[in-house]
Amino acid sequence: MSIIEYFILKKEFLIEMSYEDSLKKLTTKASGFTVEEMHYGKCKIVSDFSIGTAIFNNYKSIPISTKLSLLFINSSSVKVSLKTEPRIEIFIIMVIWVVLIFVQLISAENIPWWVTLILFPTIFLYFHQVYRSQEKSLHQKVENHLKS
């Protein structure tokens, strides 16, 4: 498993309905998420509520989201694939962490080692867990909506 795969959540399941019915079901309003960019059986699902997400571009946050694709299996069955993308906030924390380690090694700056050995890994793990739990919740909401 690569380092990038650690930050990606994947889920697949089958639904017992036609491909056309599954597309219609996706376009009906569901509680907790919104469907965006629908085309050719692929879309982006965005959570209606996200905690701890970064704010860019005039205070617009980047919400928790997942990519959904529908695969026709037969006339009464569709395979649904959900896949998240790595969060930019996690990579920003990692870059700051690496820069801080580099600064500690080559400069005379007096930055305590506990900051790089304990604080940044704790921040990293905390935010990864917050995002992962929200992504799992979003996947479960989508699955429940399509199977209802």
Side-chain angles (χ1 to χ4, degrees):
M1 175 166 75
S2 73
I3 189 76
I4 297 297
E5 288 176 354
Y6 176 72
F7 300 104
I8 297 172
L9 181 63
K10 297 177 185 177
K11 184 173 189 174
E12 295 182 341
F13 56 92
L14 290 174
I15 52 175
E16 300 299 323
M17 66 175 68
S18 70
Y19 184 81
E20 292 77 20
D21 288 343
S22 62
L23 289 173
K24 288 178 190 173
K25 185 81 169 181
L26 272 176
T27 58
T28 60
K29 178 64 181 151
S31 176
F33 65 88
T34 305
V35 177
E36 296 180 353
E37 303 172 14
M38 182 75 154
H39 58 285
Y40 304 111
K42 296 184 182 207
C43 63
K44 181 178 181 181
I45 309 266
V46 178
S47 178
D48 291 342
F49 182 72
S50 300
I51 297 173
T53 54
I55 297 175
F56 297 106
N57 299 331
N58 297 326
Y59 304 105
K60 293 179 185 173
S61 69
I62 303 169
I64 299 296
S65 63
T66 190
K67 302 283 183 173
L68 178 141
S69 61
L70 300 173
L71 179 65
F72 175 82
I73 301 294
N74 58 42
S75 62
S76 63
S77 192
V78 176
K79 180 180 180 181
V80 179
S81 296
L82 299 168
K83 181 180 176 185
T84 62
E85 296 179 343
R87 299 288 305 175
I88 188 70
E89 298 93 337
I90 294 293
F91 289 107
I92 291 170
I93 292 169
M94 288 176 64
V95 167
I96 292 170
W97 188 18
V98 169
V99 168
L100 188 62
I101 290 171
F102 185 71
V103 166
Q104 281 182 312
L105 292 173
I106 66 166
S107 75
E109 290 292 321
N110 190 12
I111 300 171
W113 278 100
W114 69 267
V115 171
T116 53
L117 296 177
I118 298 172
L119 183 63
F120 270 89
T122 303
I123 291 170
F124 171 80
L125 292 172
Y126 171 76
F127 277 103
H128 180 64
Q129 186 61 36
V130 168
Y131 298 141
R132 181 54 47 101
S133 66
Q134 291 179 83
E135 291 165 347
K136 284 180 179 179
S137 175
L138 178 59
H139 282 190
Q140 193 60 49
K141 287 177 187 176
V142 171
E143 183 176 4
N144 291 344
H145 177 70
L146 287 173
K147 287 185 173 181
S148 66

